[in-house]
Amino acid sequence: MSTPAPPSWPHCAHGADAATDPVGCRGIHVPGHTTCLAHLTDTDRNTYLAGLAPGVDIDHRGTTFTTALLFALLNALRDPATGTARFGNVQFRSATFEGDIRFSSAVFEGDARFEETAFKNTAWFDSAVFMSRSWFTSATFGTAWFDGTTFKGHAWFERASFKNTAWFESAAFEQTAGFRSAAFEGLAAFGSAVFEGDAVFDLATFKHGAWFSGAAFKGHAGFTRAKFMEADRFGPLLCTGRMDLSGATFGGPVILEFAAHHLVCRRTRWTATAEIRLRYATVDFAHAVFEYPLAIAAEPDPFVLTDGSELAEDAFAGAPGSDVKVASLRGVDAAHLVLADVDLSPCLFTGTVHLDQLRLEGACTFDTTPSPADGRRRWPPVRFTQRRVLAEEHHWRAGHPRAVRGWNVAVFGAGRAGPLQLAPVYRALRKGFEDGKHEPGAADFYYGEMEMRRHADDISRAERWLLTAYWALSGYGLRASRALAWLGAAMLLTIGLLMGFGIAQDTPKQTATGTVPVGGGKVVFEIDKDDPKNPSGDLFTGERFEKALNVTLNSVVFRSSGQDLTTAGTYIEMTSRLAEPVLLGLAVLAIRNRVKR
C-alpha cells in the first residue's frame, strides 16, 4: 500500500498508532501550539475556544472531529443574539468528522472549504447559510442533510461521494451549483430545490432514485453523461434554460417530466421503457439510443406534484403556449419511438432509421408550404398548394437562388440535405401513414416524394419531363382542382376549335340517283351524301355552340357525338376523346386519394 502524501500545511506532531494511521495525525497546528485542535490538552483547548468569537476565520484542515469537539467549537462561535453559529472564512479541508455532526442553521459568512473532507456518519447542514463560496469537492458523506440550506455563492460538490441519502430538499443555490462526477449511492433528494444559476451534474452517478420533484432550474441544467441506474421518475421539474441530458444513461424504466425551454438528448441511452412528458420544450433527440418503446408526449395541463399541488410555471407566463417541438430525430432508430401531440415543423429527419415504423399519435403537426404574407401577391406570381412539408425541404428551397419568400432558412448546425436525401425520407413517412391506414395523410408525403424525385440530379431528362407533366396536370394525381381546371380548359378549347373549324357549314344532304330500264324491271337508286363543307361566315352562333358542346361532352366519355364534322373537326374530336378522359380520370383519382381510408 502506498503511503499518502504528507499535507502541505504544518501538521500535528502528535503520535498515532502505526497500524491505524501510518503517517500520524495530519491536523493543522492550532496557532501558538504544535498540535491540532483534537490533540490539544483540555486546558489549551478551552483557552483556544474561549478566545474565539462569532464570525472569525478558522482553519482546522486535516483535523479529526468527534461530535463533542465540533459541538464545543460551534458553541464558541455561537451568536448570543440569534443562537446560531457564525463562521468567517472556514478551512476544513481533509478533516474527518466522526459520529453525527451538526452544522444546522450555521452561517458561513466567508468562503467555506470542505474539500476531501470525510463525514463518517450523518452530516446535518439543514437550514445553514453559505454567504460566499463553498467547496465540498471530493468530500465523502454518510448521510447528508442540506434541506433548506442556502448557498449564496458558488457551491462545488465535484467528485463528492454520498454513501447514503443526500437530502437537498428545498435547498437554494443562488449561483452555480457544481455536482460534476458526484456519486449518489443512496437517494438523491433535490425536491423543491431552486437553482438560480447553472446546475452542473455532468458525469454524476445516481445509483438509486433521483428525486427532483418540484425543483426549479432558473439557468441551464447539465446532466451530460450522467448515469441514472434505478431512477423510476425524474421530475416533474422546471427549467427556464437548457436541460441537457446528452450522453446520459437510464438503466431502468423511467418517466421524465419537464417544463423546459430546451431539452437536449443527443446520444442519450435508455435501456428500458421510458416516457418523456413535456411542456413548452423544444427537443433535440439526435442519435439517441433506446432498445425498448419510448414515448415523447406533450402534456396539456401543468404537472401535478406528489402533494397534489401544480408545478409553478410563472417563468413561462409570457410563452405563447405549452406546445412541444421536436428539433431533430437524426440518427435515431424510430422502430420503438412514439410521438404524441408534438410539433414536427422544425424536425430534421434525414438519417433516421426505420422511419416508416415511427408512430404518430394525437395532433402531430408538420410545417406547410408558404402562403402570401399579409395577403400580398408575390412576383412572379407563385402559389403553393397547402401540404405537409419537412423542415429540410424548407431549408433546401430557401437556398435556391430564385427562391420565393416564405421558405424557412436553415438554422446553424442543421446541415444540408437535397432532393436525393429527402426523397427516401418522404417515402418512409408515406409508408408509415399508409400502414396506419391514413391515406389522406400519406398523400402529402407522396407529393413531397415526387417533388424530390422531379428535382433530383440522378434522373434522365425524359423522366424529368414526364414528372413535370404529371405535376402540372394533376399534382401527381393528388390535386383534383388542377386536373379539373385543365379539363375545363381543354373542353373550352375543343368547343372553340370545333366552332371555328370542326362543325360543317351545313348539314350535308343525301341525294338519290337512278335509272329506269326500258320495258319495265327493277329501278336502281344510288344514294350519296355531300362532303361536309368548311364553315364560313358567322362561325360563333348559338346553334354551332350547342353542336360543339355536344361533341365535346361526348368525347369526355368516349362516345361519338354523331355530328357531321369537317376533316379538321374529326381530328379535333379524336384528340379530345384521348386527352379529356385522361384528365377526368386524374381528377377522380385525386379525389379518391383524399377520401380513401
Side-chain angles (χ1 to χ4, degrees), residues 223 234 243-248 250 256 258 263-266 268:
F223 289 84
F234 189 16
M243 187 78 183
D244 196 346
L245 294 173
S246 297
F250 291 87
L256 295 86
F258 304 143
L263 173 62
V264 183
C265 293
R266 288 177 171 266
T268 307

Side-chain angles (χ1 to χ4, degrees), residues 180-182 201-206 222-229 244-250 264-269:
R180 184 181 178 88
S181 299
F201 288 85
D202 302 342
L203 294 168
T205 301
F206 300 88
F223 289 84
T224 60
R225 291 184 288 172
K227 294 182 179 179
F228 300 85
M229 309 305 291
D244 196 346
L245 294 173
S246 297
T249 301
F250 291 87
V264 183
C265 293
R266 288 177 171 266
R267 300 176 303 280
T268 307
R269 178 182 291 273

Side-chain angles (χ1 to χ4, degrees), residues 9-14 25-52 56-77 87 90-97 103:
W9 54 82
H11 56 284
C12 182
H14 190 276
C25 177
R26 286 173 281 177
I28 193 170
H29 295 174
V30 173
H33 300 273
T34 59
T35 58
C36 69
L37 180 63
H39 292 112
L40 286 178
T41 63
D42 293 343
T43 301
D44 290 340
R45 184 184 306 115
N46 292 335
T47 301
Y48 166 74
L49 294 175
L52 299 179
V56 300
D57 298 341
I58 62 170
D59 185 354
H60 293 293
R61 286 172 286 177
T63 303
T64 299
F65 284 86
T66 61
T67 302
L69 180 59
L70 179 62
F71 183 75
L73 177 62
L74 292 173
N75 277 339
L77 298 172
F87 295 85
V90 174
Q91 280 277 12
F92 282 110
R93 180 170 184 172
S94 297
T96 300
F97 292 90
F103 285 94

Side-chain angles (χ1 to χ4, degrees), residues 255-323:
I255 297 175
L256 295 86
E257 296 174 307
F258 304 143
H261 273 307
H262 200 78
L263 173 62
V264 183
C265 293
R266 288 177 171 266
R267 300 176 303 280
T268 307
R269 178 182 291 273
W270 283 269
T271 59
T273 57
E275 183 177 359
I276 305 175
R277 300 173 182 170
L278 302 171
R279 288 174 59 79
Y280 303 100
T282 297
V283 187
D284 185 348
F285 217 66
H287 306 287
V289 178
F290 41 94
E291 304 170 12
Y292 295 90
L294 184 146
I296 302 176
E299 192 72 14
D301 301 314
F303 294 113
V304 178
L305 304 179
T306 53
D307 61 0
S309 63
E310 291 185 350
L311 178 68
E313 297 181 347
D314 297 343
F316 296 98
S322 61
D323 298 344

Side-chain angles (χ1 to χ4, degrees), residues 86-142:
R86 289 174 42 223
F87 295 85
N89 291 315
V90 174
Q91 280 277 12
F92 282 110
R93 180 170 184 172
S94 297
T96 300
F97 292 90
E98 297 178 344
D100 293 344
I101 61 98
R102 288 183 178 272
F103 285 94
S104 302
S105 302
V107 178
F108 297 85
E109 298 176 352
D111 291 348
R113 308 194 72 106
F114 288 85
E115 301 104 312
E116 302 175 13
T117 301
F119 299 90
K120 296 293 187 178
N121 290 319
T122 303
W124 298 83
F125 284 87
D126 51 305
S127 301
V129 178
F130 293 85
M131 304 293 292
S132 187
R133 296 168 295 182
S134 55
W135 285 268
F136 290 85
T137 307
S138 300
T140 302
F141 295 87

